[in-house]
Amino acid sequence: MAKGYWIARVDIRDPERYKDYVAAAKPAFEKYGAKFLARGGNFHRLEGAVRSRNVVIEFPSLQAAVDCYNSPEYQIAAAIRQEVADAEMVVVEGV
C-alpha cells in the first residue's frame, strides 16, 4: 500500500498562537501514524511563490492522511491554524 503525504506551505501571522495549533494537532498526528519528514527549516526557492514554512508529513496510507485531516481531533487544531496562519495544504499518494 502506498503511503500518503501532507504537503503544507505556511505563513505564520501569530507565532505564539501557532504553538497552540501544534499542541492541539499532536493527538491527531499520533492517532493516524504521522511522521514528520520536513517541518520548517531552511529552503531555497526554485520557482513560483513561496511561504516561510514548508511541512511534509508521511502517513501509513493516503486514507490515513485524509482521515487525519478530517478527524475531529485535527479539525480543532485546524480552526486555530486558520486564525493564526495562511496556508496551502494538499494530500498526495506516494509511489
Side-chain angles (χ1 to χ4, degrees):
M1 177 184 316
K3 294 186 178 187
Y5 297 86
W6 283 17
I7 301 173
R9 301 171 51 242
V10 184
D11 283 332
I12 300 168
R13 295 188 311 273
D14 184 340
E16 286 305 310
R17 285 269 296 141
Y18 194 80
K19 293 175 186 176
D20 296 336
Y21 158 72
V22 171
K26 186 176 180 180
F29 292 146
E30 289 175 350
K31 180 177 180 179
Y32 290 93
K35 177 182 176 186
F36 283 82
L37 302 180
R39 190 177 206 170
N42 292 326
F43 67 91
H44 298 276
R45 183 180 75 80
L46 301 176
E47 294 184 28
V50 298
R51 292 210 180 255
S52 59
R53 184 173 180 85
N54 300 284
V55 181
V56 179
I57 308 171
E58 180 182 82
F59 290 85
S61 67
L62 180 67
Q63 191 62 55
V66 171
D67 290 347
C68 181
Y69 182 84
N70 291 321
S71 71
E73 298 91 345
Y74 185 75
Q75 287 304 302
I76 291 168
I80 297 168
R81 179 184 42 77
Q82 292 162 358
E83 290 178 10
V84 302
D86 299 309
E88 289 92 28
M89 296 175 61
V90 297
V91 173
V92 297
E93 185 174 39
V95 293

